[in-house]
Amino acid sequence: MKQYILLIGLTLTLLSGALAQEISIGAEYRINPVYSRGFREPMYAGDKAGMFTMQRTRLILEYNKEKDLDAEFIIQDRRFWGDQDDRADVANMAVFRAWVEKYFTPKFSVRLGRQGFVYDEQHIMGDPNWVGTRAHDAGLLKYENDKLKAHLAFAYNANGQELKREVYDFNNMYKSMQFAWIEKKIGKNKLTFFAMNRGMEKGDTSSAYMQTFGPYANIKLNSKLSFKGLYYHQIGEDVSGRDVNAYFYSAQIIYKPSEKVSLTLGVDAGSGTNQTDYENVDYTKSTTFDRQYGLLHGHFGYMDYFYVMHPTEVGAHDFYLKAKVNITENLSLENHLHDFATSALLNDPTNEGKTLGHHLGIENDFMINYKLSSILNAQLAYCRMFGTKTLDAFFGGQKSQENQ
């Protein structure tokens, strides 16, 4: 009976308490006030600073019957303070997660429904905190034991109850997608391989298919030193019909001399296409790497200049040094220093036929983290970009006044 009326069964369990040990209810509240004099886009002469507050609230319901059935249901409300008329009849809440996972054996399970995909360093598949309700309506086959994990996902999207084939309207998402992910643990080290096939509809009922694949390694060299590295290659076709041949790589050395101090030296880099070639409608190739559904705000600096709101067809290299110091159990300081460069060439807007140097600028992100209690955390941050003429060209050519 329980197997056939799962949703009703979960609801009744909350009321009866008969299986209370299998139910958990949680919530999460985030508030993010921002004073912007160049966040996500530069300030220009005559611009005034912006000030806004974003709020995100989640109600989380989880069900767990060990090695038998898991389920998660999350309702999310995301808003900016003041962005709704007090008489507006607009739905704000949305289903952020709604999936059920059935175990057929202790090692093999199938998860179906709206879920998040988080893999490796989240450059391709991640779970961002502030980009609305990013989710994947998909199926996921999972095989996991102590040393080996293998996941196989599949998805096919439609506008709704599609009785006849229609053009898919949601162009930021795929029409179809499949990926495979394998992780092998060797002692304290971890090796993975990821491969994805994504089909994006081109404006009719045909799709452009792009394949992304590559390895990732997390190697612990000794008690204080570790290395993380990945390389993804991308081939296939983009929605403009261009043949894609692009790459992305990331490498990090993490040094922890003590429990209080952590240092990370690294580089994240995605290939790009020269601006002249990209703007040429007759150019049939693209070397621009598509980061697809990766964690955006967590990489390439907290100013969000690259890969977030502004197109990054020329690609970007991010050379960084990150330091974290734990002052007490509750207080820590972080500083992230980034040096950005384009991967391909930008045109010089003041000299026709000329190109600019690759250097975009230096960004510094400073953060104070404080744990007020077991359930309440706070962070205060200040970020500033020291841009170049190339950065101004990246945003269209106008000279910026401030970037903080």
Side-chain angles (χ1 to χ4, degrees), residues 146-148 183-192 218-220:
D146 293 339
K147 294 185 178 181
L148 180 68
E183 175 189 277
K184 175 67 176 177
K185 288 185 178 180
I186 305 174
K188 296 182 178 180
N189 304 317
K190 182 168 63 177
L191 302 175
T192 76
N218 186 340
I219 299 173
K220 192 173 182 63

Side-chain angles (χ1 to χ4, degrees), residues 260-263 322-326 332-335 369:
K260 292 184 175 293
V261 178
S262 174
L263 299 172
K322 301 179 180 181
K324 182 176 182 179
V325 179
N326 297 312
S332 66
L333 304 178
E334 291 184 63
N335 197 79
N369 307 297

Side-chain angles (χ1 to χ4, degrees), residues 90-106:
V90 179
N92 293 299
M93 286 192 172
V95 176
F96 180 64
R97 297 286 182 264
W99 54 261
V100 173
E101 183 171 350
K102 172 62 180 175
Y103 286 82
F104 294 95
T105 73

